[in-house]
Amino acid sequence: MDPHPTPEPTTAPAHRTRSAEPGDTNVPAPPPGGPSAPDPSWGASAVSPSPSGGAARHGHPVPPVPSRSRARRLLAPVGAVAGVVAAFAYVGAVDPNEPGHYPVCPLFRLTGLYCPGCGGLRSAHAFAHGDLPTALGANALAVVGYGVFAVVAVLWLVRAYRGVPTRLAVPPVWWWGIGAVLALFTLVRNLPLGSALVP
């Protein structure tokens, strides 16, 4: 008889197993602490928001579309207005009524006829000095152009400040209309009845 008997090895299963349906294998039961919480990633959508503001597709975040800053949006309209103001300041300082400062209209030099732009510099000079009647007498159509530019510039600045895209799309019929107005203005100011439109 062995004075030190060796105990027989015993195997204790770590977890109980439940019987499965016929044909299935035994499935380990959940640990004693109770059923574990489901993995939050189960059933997640393939597209989920990413911290950068884009959508993550299959684990690859899509960067958001960068938005232009307000200063960059205002650069174009402010630059256009500044250029026009500088041109008016120059014409206001250098009087076109004095010869030798500006070139003569080639159409008037060759034919003696007034083109639609004749008198535009004198009109701008008078307008820069606040003399509206003289500006209209030099070139009334140019004064209308000043007003149209002012309205367009204000709308452009406001839309750029608010971040609204501005697209200047003029239908072809408008271009034909502008051409017809220029032709009629040129015709009338070169007739005796249009002497008020002569600069």
Side-chain angles (χ1 to χ4, degrees):
M1 177 178 292
D2 189 353
H4 303 286
T6 304
E8 294 186 5
T10 59
T11 57
H15 305 289
R16 293 183 179 181
T17 59
R18 64 174 177 84
S19 61
E21 295 295 330
D24 292 345
T25 58
N26 288 340
V27 180
S36 59
D39 189 348
S41 64
W42 293 354
S45 174
V47 179
S48 59
S50 63
S52 60
R57 294 183 179 275
H58 305 292
H60 300 286
V62 179
V65 179
S67 59
R68 298 174 62 189
S69 65
R70 180 173 294 171
R72 291 187 62 185
R73 295 196 306 264
L74 290 172
L75 184 62
V78 169
V81 172
V84 172
V85 170
F88 268 90
Y90 178 82
V91 175
V94 182
D95 192 354
N97 294 295
E98 299 177 1
H101 295 297
Y102 302 96
V104 180
C105 173
L107 180 65
F108 181 77
R109 180 189 290 273
L110 295 175
T111 64
L113 297 175
Y114 296 102
C115 76
C118 282
L121 291 174
R122 280 173 276 182
S123 174
H125 178 80
F127 190 83
H129 287 272
D131 190 356
L132 187 59
T134 302
L136 288 170
N139 194 317
L141 198 59
V143 176
V144 174
Y146 307 153
V148 171
F149 175 79
V151 172
V152 172
V154 169
L155 292 177
W156 191 6
L157 285 167
V158 171
R159 292 172 71 89
Y161 182 84
R162 294 179 176 176
V164 180
T166 303
R167 295 178 180 87
L168 184 60
V170 181
V173 65
W174 280 90
W175 291 115
W176 285 104
I178 293 171
V181 169
L182 291 174
L184 183 62
F185 179 73
T186 303
L187 176 64
V188 171
R189 75 186 319 201
N190 284 285
L191 295 175
L193 57 90
S195 58
L197 301 176
V198 175

